[in-house]
Amino acid sequence: DLSRLQQGLKQLDFLLANWNEVTLNCKYAEVNKELLTTEKKEELLDAAAKSALFNKGTTTRTLCKRDAEAVRYVMGVGGEKNQKSGPPAMFAAHRGFKSLNDDNGGGAQDAYLEAMESFSRAKSGLEATSYASGVADYSSIIASSSDNDESSSYLESSRRSAQAAREALSSIVLLLEAQASK
């Protein structure tokens, strides 16, 4: 269980370190609107006849959009397929919690429970805001050319939730590693 938590922590570290690259999705295309005018009808038909299936460089342009799907995948939210990825939902809560020894008044169990609650709050927030970024946040679903970190978008809220989840998961991993080394 500890190794899965460490793996989840590495995934969150990678996600946060490469946020702009991971959330950029360039699988969209838009038809060159100039070709749709009546005057360009012959050129459009010619392009369609010659290379419609292979070379779309002159008839379309690639659009990049901000997409939270990779974020949702790393956190294991957003569908049955994704729930098998990411850190274990409850960190094997029963075993992890019971393995912590509070005999010398260290408060490890309290710290563990607090970190679990923080992770759950962050994961819930991330699930809501990452979903909303795909359906309701115009700044996240239109072509994105800026990397504005000060944005108040849902996707930026997802980043803040991912950071909070990473901090909580890091605390849990540290607690369990300290216990395992005893």
Side-chain angles (χ1 to χ4, degrees), residues 116-128:
M116 269 188 55
E117 289 171 1
S118 294
F119 184 85
S120 294
R121 277 192 306 274
K123 184 174 179 176
S124 295
L126 183 137
E127 184 170 13

Side-chain angles (χ1 to χ4, degrees), residues 5 14 26-27 33 39 48 53 59 62 70 82 88-89 96 116 126 130 132 149 157-158 161 167 182:
L5 295 175
F14 179 84
C26 295
K27 295 189 291 185
K33 291 183 171 102
E39 299 82 38
L53 294 177
T59 59
T62 302
N82 289 351
M116 269 188 55
L126 183 137
S130 63
D149 290 338
S157 294
S158 295
S161 293
E167 290 171 17
K182 287 184 182 182

Side-chain angles (χ1 to χ4, degrees), residues 37-130:
T37 62
T38 314
E39 299 82 38
K40 301 274 187 165
K41 182 178 179 182
E42 275 306 312
E43 191 178 330
L44 177 63
L45 291 173
D46 186 46
K50 285 183 183 172
S51 58
L53 294 177
F54 305 105
N55 182 8
K56 294 179 176 39
T58 60
T59 59
T60 61
R61 70 180 184 119
T62 302
L63 294 177
C64 295
K65 300 178 182 185
R66 291 285 169 203
D67 186 0
E69 194 57 37
V71 178
R72 296 172 64 76
Y73 179 78
V74 166
M75 288 298 290
V77 299
E80 192 174 309
K81 179 177 97 174
N82 289 351
Q83 290 175 356
K84 294 187 173 147
S85 65
M90 294 308 291
F91 312 116
H94 203 58
R95 279 184 280 171
F97 181 74
K98 284 192 165 198
S99 73
L100 296 173
N101 188 349
D102 268 351
D103 289 344
N104 25 348
Q109 288 180 337
D110 289 339
Y112 180 86
L113 289 175
E114 187 177 317
M116 269 188 55
E117 289 171 1
S118 294
F119 184 85
S120 294
R121 277 192 306 274
K123 184 174 179 176
S124 295
L126 183 137
E127 184 170 13
T129 57
S130 63

